[in-house]
Amino acid sequence: MRTVTFFLLVVLISALTLNGQSTFSSRVLDATTDQPIPYATIQFNSKNGVITNDNGEYSITISRAIRATDSLIISCLGYEKQSIPLLNYNNEVTLLNPKVVDLEEVLLTNKNYTIDEILEKIKAGLATNYDTDYAKRKLFYRESYYNNIDKSVVNIKKSSIPEINQQLVDSLLNDVPKTNSNHVELLGNLYGKFAPQSKQKMDILKACRLQDEASEVNLENYEKRFNAIFKKYVKRDSYFKIKSGWFSTKEEIDSSLFGDTEKASKEKEMTDQLLAEKRRKDSLRKAGFLNFRKMTIHRLENDHFVDEENDLNFLHKSNRYEFEIEDYAFMNDMFVYVISFKPKRREDYKGTMYVNTEDFAVVRVDYQNVKPLRKFRLLGISLNEYLKEGTIIFHKNDNDKYSIKYIDESSGQSVGIKRPIKIIEKNKNVKGRRQQNMVKGDIDFIVTNLEKTELIVFETESLAEKTFNDFKEKANVLPEYLKKYNPEFWKGYNIIEPNQAIKEFKAIDSE
């Protein structure tokens, strides 16, 4: 009896395991160098799957029972494809061997075209190779913002308010976090035409925002500290004149600091109205999460070389670039030309494009800027847009046209301010000299901002115009706010594996 019971228990456990969903996670490495392979495609039984992140990591969830014939197909540009049976999957690292392409095999599919002939065929196919029709795209989108204060120096040269001194300023600067980041992740279906500026609709299935709001609390604390100092030293009806370089502004002092109850009451009423308006706008902004994200994603879908007005203009303005056929490779069951490009003179980008030898469609582009995209310094204010690089990968959809499969783009800028600053308290209702107090010093700040955007499209299906018109969006979709990374949030969903910065994200007050 015990044997029968044990056997039934084993069968029951096995049935529960096989009939539920399974998640498979690992890394993909180069077999010769042991280096991670980013952008490798992980497919379940040769169907749409996921893509490895920068560190070669992936995680794919299968929503049905695993069968003996099931496998993961792992492929990447320039590597031999590998099939891994799932029945005995053990999460071992996958090693891919570089694939040697036989040039004679490539030339069987096409003649030996010159680079100029290839470029002309690419341009001729831009209008026909890429889909512009209605489609439904199941996708995962992630955007990350990283802020870093590289320099924060304030030197107090003179102050008639004893408590506003170098020690106070230094303590406040030390309290400000030098680094900060926030991340938005979204899984959903995007409906609409691929064509630029066309109307889109979206069904957000799940979304989250990782954000640390502690800095806002710190600013409130700073304001309270300064208000206490001002209340002690400045006079009623005073105003501040702030001078920095050639510019100056005038700031009225809040009379509620001085206990003027009637005036304070009116100002409180006005303040409450302003706060109510701010809350209303914040509510609208949050309620606009759906509209903002769908348009952001759609712009990203079209932000590349196909658009004639795009900054990545190496095809439409090919006379300004130098091209060279570097190699031939095998990518997703197609032979491709590997063609490098770099500017002859003033253009901004260099990179590599991979071109299908059969239809001359550009199926992948790796690009990076060769110089700052924008750089200036004026009156102590500086801006340096120092980075824009990324990878764009296309795949053929069921329209037999190319559409976006994956995008990874990073952009960075540095903003600085270095100038003298003078804060003067004046009062026109006192006898004698109007100037009452003054704080004088120099400020020198440099802040670096880095934005990283990732988009993976799991499935692309043709869509009838009527189906698009009939689809109704869910209003007021909001992300779930997280104070630290939670690996359980996306459990059971296919997404791009997060990088280490996201995995380590934790707000100051999350404990």
Side-chain angles (χ1 to χ4, degrees), residues 22 65 110 119 129 139 203 247 298 303 350 422 441 447 463:
S22 304
N110 249 314
L119 288 173
N129 277 328
L139 56 85
D203 178 22
F247 302 99
H298 185 52
D303 188 21
K350 68 176 182 179
K422 185 186 293 184
V447 180
L463 190 69

Side-chain angles (χ1 to χ4, degrees), residues 42-273:
I42 316 298
Q43 295 177 299
F44 174 61
N45 293 343
S46 298
K47 295 180 180 179
N48 286 319
V50 298
I51 283 180
T52 58
N53 65 8
D54 294 346
N55 201 35
E57 298 168 326
Y58 71 88
S59 181
I60 185 169
T61 298
I62 312 302
S63 58
R64 64 161 174 77
I66 301 301
R67 301 165 186 159
T69 56
D70 290 336
S71 61
L72 291 184
I73 311 299
I74 302 179
S75 61
C76 187
L77 175 69
Y79 291 90
E80 293 181 356
K81 185 183 295 185
Q82 191 169 148
S83 178
I84 301 177
L86 286 180
L87 203 56
N88 297 312
Y89 186 90
N90 56 9
N91 292 326
E92 285 187 359
V93 169
T94 301
L95 300 176
L96 294 187
N97 293 307
K99 184 178 178 63
V100 178
V101 176
D102 185 352
L103 181 58
E104 291 184 1
E105 190 177 0
V106 177
L107 296 180
L108 285 176
T109 65
N110 249 314
K111 61 174 285 189
N112 192 14
Y113 290 107
T114 67
I115 187 63
D116 289 335
E117 289 173 326
I118 293 173
L119 288 173
E120 287 305 313
K121 289 182 176 294
I122 292 173
K123 293 177 187 178
L126 289 177
T128 56
N129 277 328
Y130 299 92
D131 202 347
T132 59
D133 211 344
Y134 286 97
K136 170 186 173 184
R137 291 89 82 194
K138 184 175 182 180
L139 56 85
F140 175 79
Y141 172 80
R142 175 187 291 136
E143 67 177 26
S144 299
Y145 292 93
Y146 304 90
N147 303 306
N148 189 69
I149 301 177
D150 301 317
K151 189 175 186 179
S152 56
V153 176
V154 177
N155 289 320
I156 301 297
K157 293 183 174 181
K158 183 177 180 181
S159 175
S160 61
I161 302 178
E163 293 186 31
I164 299 182
N165 52 37
Q166 192 66 52
Q167 184 179 358
L168 171 67
V169 171
D170 289 343
S171 69
L172 293 176
L173 291 177
N174 287 333
D175 287 343
V176 176
K178 295 298 185 288
T179 61
N180 191 21
S181 67
N182 65 80
H183 313 268
V184 171
E185 297 179 327
L186 179 155
L187 180 72
N189 294 308
L190 187 64
Y191 302 79
K193 298 183 74 171
F194 285 109
Q197 318 240 334
S198 56
K199 183 179 179 181
Q200 303 292 304
K201 296 181 180 181
M202 193 169 201
D203 178 22
I204 295 180
L205 304 176
K206 194 175 178 70
C208 70
R209 184 193 297 273
L210 280 73
Q211 187 170 7
D212 185 356
E213 297 180 339
S215 59
E216 296 180 12
V217 177
N218 288 338
L219 290 176
E220 290 177 3
N221 290 337
Y222 297 154
E223 184 180 2
K224 289 177 182 178
R225 292 179 69 176
F226 275 110
N227 280 348
I229 295 171
F230 293 154
K231 183 176 180 179
K232 183 176 179 180
Y233 287 99
V234 304
K235 296 179 173 59
R236 290 192 180 109
D237 301 325
S238 287
Y239 64 89
F240 279 156
K241 195 164 187 180
I242 303 173
K243 293 183 177 181
S244 180
W246 290 359
F247 302 99
S248 65
T249 60
K250 179 179 175 181
E251 299 289 340
E252 297 291 344
I253 297 298
D254 185 352
S255 63
S256 63
L257 290 172
F258 305 101
D260 187 337
T261 55
E262 182 179 354
K263 193 169 184 179
S265 177
K266 291 181 180 178
E267 290 189 352
K268 183 179 185 306
E269 183 180 348
M270 293 175 63
T271 302
D272 289 343
Q273 291 175 356

